[in-house]
């Protein structure tokens, strides 16, 4: 692999960059999102705290899905009793990313903070992998706790997988457009065999301290490439990068899929959905609207 220096290639956005810290053998993943995230968030008129929270959820989904081998769709969902009762993010194994949030404007105005427990309320973070055959469905679920989605995920790893994980995430609009970044370092059982256990603890603590030194500005800075950020964090210990995976904003909805969905419903129920002579179906992910007039409905039920 080429030597890692403080590269600043700004085109290196919308990717997952796996890496390894040479001294300790600890593995990690960095996610950088620029245009893809801006496209996802800009299709809706989200209040600032909702957009930021959904941006963080998108980073989390990208980090988590990249750690799994699957062929299908990874989906992350939060549900709760707060002003943001639902967020859904999904990502295909080829890197197509989409997501949406539901929110209650009135209750959002009354919220006093931006902690997940404030915005989502009492609730759950869940993720699944759908490989199409329903036989290989990986599911993780954890109660929401702490201030951030990163806290919730760390909690999940400790509780369910007994893996230590350090995660930092940020989403924001440094130059008007939405961006997000995140880094996760995991302590996996097979990664550190060669090292004595006392050193392992030191390595882990050191990796966590360095991870914690990543600032929101650095995570979001469009002028600081993914490799440049890793170099800043871990250059003293040596950091090796592996082939990155590309991400893009892409919705899987289509007129044919909507027609199939309508066709599976009782016809009188669909007729009741008509307004101004047509049935209108809106995709929650990308906000595309699909209209079906009488002739088109006739074709759906033909
Ligand atoms: Zn769509």
């Amino acid at each position: 692999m080429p030597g890692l220096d403080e590269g600043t290639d700004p085109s290196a956005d919308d990717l997952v960059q796996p890496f390894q810290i040479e001294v300790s053998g600890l593995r990690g993943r960095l996610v950088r999102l620029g245009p893809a995230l801006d496209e996802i968030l800009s299709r809706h008129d989200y209040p600032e705290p909702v957009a930021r929270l959904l941006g963080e959820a998108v980073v989390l989904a990208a980090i988590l899905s990249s750690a799994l081998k699957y062929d299908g769709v990874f989906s992350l969902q939060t549900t709760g009793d707060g002003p943001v009762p639902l967020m859904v993010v999904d990502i295909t194994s080829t890197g197509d990313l989409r997501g949406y949030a539901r929110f209650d404007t009135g209750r959002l105005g009354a919220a006093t903070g931006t902690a997940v427990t404030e915005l989502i309320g009492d609730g759950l973070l869940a993720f699944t992998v759908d490989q199409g055959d329903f036989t290989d469905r990986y599911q993780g679920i954890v109660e929401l706790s702490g201030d951030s989605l990163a806290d919730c995920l760390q909690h999940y790893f400790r509780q369910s997988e007994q893996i230590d994980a350090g995660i930092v995430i940020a989403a924001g609009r440094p130059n008007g457009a939405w961006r997000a970044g995140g880094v996760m370092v995991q302590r996996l059982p097979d990664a550190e065999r060669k090292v004595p256990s006392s050193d392992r603890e030191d390595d882990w603590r050191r990796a966590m301290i360095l991870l914690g030194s990543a600032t929101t500005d650095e995570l979001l800075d469009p002028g600081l490439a993914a490799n440049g950020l890793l170099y800043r964090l871990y250059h003293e210990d040596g950091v090796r990068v592996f082939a990155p995976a590309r991400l893009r904003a892409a919705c899987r909805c289509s007129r044919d899929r909507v027609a199939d969905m309508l066709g599976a419903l009782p016809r009188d129920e669909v007729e009741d959905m008509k307004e101004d002579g047509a049935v209108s179906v809106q995709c929650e992910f990308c906000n595309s609207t699909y209209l079906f007039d009488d002739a088109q409905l006739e074709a759906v039920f033909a």
Side-chain angles (χ1 to χ4, degrees), residues 5-272:
D5 58 21
E6 187 120 18
T8 53
D9 175 10
S11 69
D13 263 336
D14 298 335
L15 55 78
V16 183
Q17 175 67 70
F19 64 91
Q20 176 172 319
I21 302 168
E22 296 284 35
V23 162
S24 55
L26 290 166
R27 296 284 184 113
R29 294 183 145 65
L30 175 146
V31 168
R32 256 340 193 35
L33 291 170
L37 183 68
D38 195 55
E39 189 178 333
I40 290 168
L41 297 181
S42 302
R43 283 182 175 169
H44 301 261
D45 193 14
Y46 292 127
E48 188 90 6
V50 177
R52 180 170 293 110
L53 191 65
L54 181 57
E56 291 179 4
V58 172
V59 174
L60 211 59
I63 286 184
L64 272 174
S65 64
S66 72
L68 298 172
K69 283 198 170 54
Y70 68 101
D71 184 13
V73 183
F74 175 95
S75 171
L76 179 148
Q77 202 176 88
T78 65
T79 51
D81 60 4
V84 186
L86 178 71
M87 290 196 295
V88 181
V89 178
D90 73 30
I91 175 166
T92 67
S93 35
T94 53
D96 287 353
L97 198 53
R98 61 181 191 170
Y100 71 90
R102 286 192 198 145
F103 61 94
D104 179 324
T105 311
R107 293 182 63 202
L108 205 57
T112 52
T114 56
V116 289
T117 42
E118 189 85 31
L119 293 176
I120 306 174
D122 281 337
L124 298 169
L125 168 71
F127 38 95
T128 56
V129 173
D130 187 347
Q131 311 212 72
D133 52 8
F134 296 100
T135 54
D136 212 349
R137 216 175 153 98
Y138 175 89
Q139 179 156 2
I141 190 159
V142 66
E143 268 178 44
L144 294 171
S145 61
D147 285 340
S148 68
L149 291 175
D151 290 346
C152 298
L153 194 67
Q154 284 171 187
H155 180 60
Y156 166 77
F157 276 118
R158 264 197 308 276
Q159 196 182 55
S160 320
E161 312 245 316
Q162 298 179 335
I163 293 173
D164 284 322
I167 302 158
V168 291
I169 291 176
R173 283 205 269 206
N175 298 326
W178 281 100
R179 299 182 57 78
V183 185
M184 173 168 80
V185 176
Q186 276 178 306
R187 179 147 71 161
L188 302 170
D190 64 338
E192 319 152 273
R193 244 176 262 139
K194 309 157 285 196
V195 190
S197 62
S198 58
D199 290 353
R200 258 184 258 160
E201 280 309 309
D202 288 349
D203 285 345
W204 177 249
R205 266 197 295 274
R206 182 173 160 75
M208 288 305 98
I209 288 166
L210 293 172
L211 181 65
S213 76
T215 65
T216 298
D217 285 349
E218 285 174 326
L219 290 167
L220 301 183
D221 183 356
L224 177 63
N227 286 357
L229 175 54
L230 287 176
Y231 180 83
R232 273 197 200 173
L233 291 176
Y234 291 115
H235 66 100
E236 283 179 24
D237 296 346
V239 54
R240 175 198 299 254
V241 293
F242 304 97
R246 295 276 155 194
L247 303 170
R248 70 201 72 79
C251 193
R252 297 193 303 285
C253 68
S254 68
R255 191 169 179 85
D256 283 350
R257 284 186 187 213
V258 176
D260 286 349
M261 187 267 294
L262 290 175
L265 298 172
R267 176 144 192 183
D268 52 348
E269 216 172 276
V270 175
E271 295 289 342
D272 284 347

Side-chain angles (χ1 to χ4, degrees), residues 251 253 283 285-286 288:
C251 193
C253 68
C283 173
F285 284 98
C286 70
S288 299

Side-chain angles (χ1 to χ4, degrees), residues 287-298:
N287 239 351
S288 299
T289 302
Y290 298 93
L291 285 174
F292 291 81
D293 62 19
D294 281 332
Q296 288 162 328
L297 284 179
E298 206 53 59

